[in-house]
Amino acid sequence: MDSSFENDSSGVGVIDKAAMVMSALESGPATLAQLVSATHLARPTAHRIAVALEFHRLVTRDSQGRFILGPRLTELASAAGEDHLLAAAGPVLAALRDKTHESAQLYRRQGDVRICVANAERPIGLRDSIPVGATMSMQGGSAAQVLLAWEEPDRLHRGLVGARFTATMLSAVRRRGWAQSVGEREPGVASVSAPVRGPGGKVVAAISISGPIERMGRQPGRVHGHVVMAAARRLSEVLSDASIG
């Protein structure tokens, strides 16, 4: 493991030490002894910093108990790509609306709710109007299914408490790549959603279309699932390209 680190200091000691620990883990898993050797920190200090980073999920442990970089870093990297996502969302949502003739939305999860971060509404006729910034429950709707279906098992099962969908339904969502809702979120409204993925493959958003059941039918996914999935792939490619650039 590389034991050389920049001598520059920000003047905030604890931040510098945390950065040293994470930099040491960049090359792969490390025991506490290896962290001490790489960072030249005192053993108690290295342990204290690593455990604090672990609490915030910036560091975690592998199956052998070694320290490794944690999942929070991937989540933050995905969030950093949100500007690219929103910049690309407008044209993709408009194209999806024009192809399906239904209102289109993009949702991101925030804690126990999902937020509409972009939309393209159907200009005329009966429509499901969801303004940007609208906060909605994670307990119903096809977008909620998509945002929960690929979560880690413990978070998935917690999310199912009180939900109007089941683990079996989420398994089907993962298998076919899209979710549908018929009156689940709101009586008379149907929707179809698919996952937008960040560079690491994590689901970072859900792209959806929604409208009245009388027009979308009782099996809207069979009609629109492939189109919504194609739009989700286009947005996922935007995030992948942004990470490379």
Side-chain angles (χ1 to χ4, degrees):
M1 183 175 295
D2 186 0
S3 61
S4 62
F5 287 95
E6 296 290 340
N7 293 322
D8 294 340
S9 169
S10 70
V12 182
V14 67
I15 299 296
D16 292 336
K17 291 170 185 175
M20 289 170 65
V21 169
M22 287 192 287
S23 294
L25 296 177
E26 185 177 359
S27 58
T31 63
L32 179 59
Q34 288 171 323
L35 281 181
V36 170
S37 175
T39 62
H40 303 295
L41 293 171
R43 186 181 179 91
T45 301
H47 182 262
R48 185 174 69 252
I49 295 292
V51 170
L53 291 170
E54 185 179 15
F55 176 82
H56 291 288
R57 300 172 61 240
L58 292 163
V59 164
T60 187
R61 313 271 186 126
D62 66 9
S63 59
Q64 299 177 42
R66 297 175 299 180
F67 293 103
I68 58 175
L69 293 174
R72 184 62 181 144
L73 293 172
T74 300
E75 294 168 3
L76 291 169
S78 296
E82 184 174 356
D83 287 344
H84 298 288
L85 177 63
L86 294 182
V92 173
L93 289 172
L96 182 59
R97 174 200 61 200
D98 295 344
K99 188 167 289 188
T100 62
H101 306 293
E102 302 295 350
S103 297
Q105 306 89 27
L106 183 70
Y107 294 96
R108 289 182 68 94
R109 183 174 183 178
Q110 186 171 316
D112 295 329
V113 299
R114 55 187 167 102
I115 299 174
C116 178
V117 294
N119 68 5
E121 291 197 355
R122 193 174 191 265
I124 59 173
L126 190 61
R127 63 180 182 265
D128 183 34
S129 182
I130 301 172
V132 172
T135 299
M136 308 181 78
S137 170
M138 279 291 295
Q139 295 190 326
S142 62
Q145 294 178 40
V146 163
L147 291 170
L148 187 62
W150 282 272
E151 283 283 12
E152 297 172 0
D154 58 334
R155 295 190 71 184
L156 188 154
H157 290 300
R158 285 199 303 271
L160 285 171
V161 177
R164 291 184 284 280
F165 44 79
T166 65
T168 300
M169 292 169 66
L170 295 187
S171 178
V173 170
R174 290 191 296 274
R175 184 175 64 252
R176 68 192 177 215
W178 53 262
Q180 68 177 10
S181 165
V182 180
E184 188 178 282
R185 170 177 63 84
E186 184 178 335
V189 174
S191 66
V192 181
S193 299
V196 178
R197 299 178 181 275
K202 180 180 174 60
V203 174
V204 297
I207 190 169
S208 309
I209 58 169
S210 61
I213 293 173
E214 62 188 54
R215 192 168 60 231
M216 292 189 67
R218 291 277 167 183
Q219 293 291 333
R222 291 182 181 177
V223 179
H224 300 296
H226 66 290
V227 179
V228 178
M229 285 176 63
R233 283 194 295 271
R234 283 195 291 276
L235 287 179
S236 299
E237 288 167 1
V238 168
L239 293 181
S240 179
D241 292 343
S243 72
I244 294 172

